[in-house]
Amino acid sequence: MRLGQSRGIIKAVETVYVALRDEGVDVWRPVEAERISESVYRLANVSVPDAEEWEFSPGSTVQCELRELFDGRALVAVFAA
């Protein structure tokens, strides 16, 4: 987690992993996200690479949970909030 600052307000910024669609195997895109509540985050409003289709759009508010991924436990977006 790192802290971001916007207009004098300090916000917690964390990395949330978003599933990519139509990849044939599980593929995850790390995305910076602002914590809204204990398990709800707002994904950064960034550009999606042309070759990718994300399960949740940039700027979406998502419910997250900790899951075991390729290199350990990580926050994963699981539902639109």
Side-chain angles (χ1 to χ4, degrees):
M1 174 178 69
R2 69 182 179 87
L3 295 180
Q5 189 166 358
S6 173
R7 298 185 199 131
I9 300 171
I10 296 176
K11 300 183 257 183
V13 177
E14 297 191 41
T15 300
V16 169
Y17 287 81
V18 176
L20 301 186
R21 293 183 173 165
D22 302 323
E23 293 293 321
V25 296
D26 289 344
V27 179
W28 303 93
R29 165 62 66 190
V31 181
E32 286 191 347
E34 173 189 355
R35 185 176 181 182
I36 304 298
S37 68
E38 184 174 334
S39 61
V40 177
Y41 293 79
R42 181 173 298 113
L43 300 176
N45 199 7
V46 297
S47 297
V48 176
D50 290 336
E52 294 181 1
E53 183 180 345
W54 292 9
E55 183 176 9
F56 302 102
S57 302
S60 296
T61 302
V62 294
Q63 179 82 29
C64 296
E65 63 183 37
L66 282 173
R67 289 195 180 168
E68 193 68 36
L69 295 184
F70 55 94
D71 64 347
R73 292 175 58 84
L75 275 174
V76 173
V78 292
F79 301 107

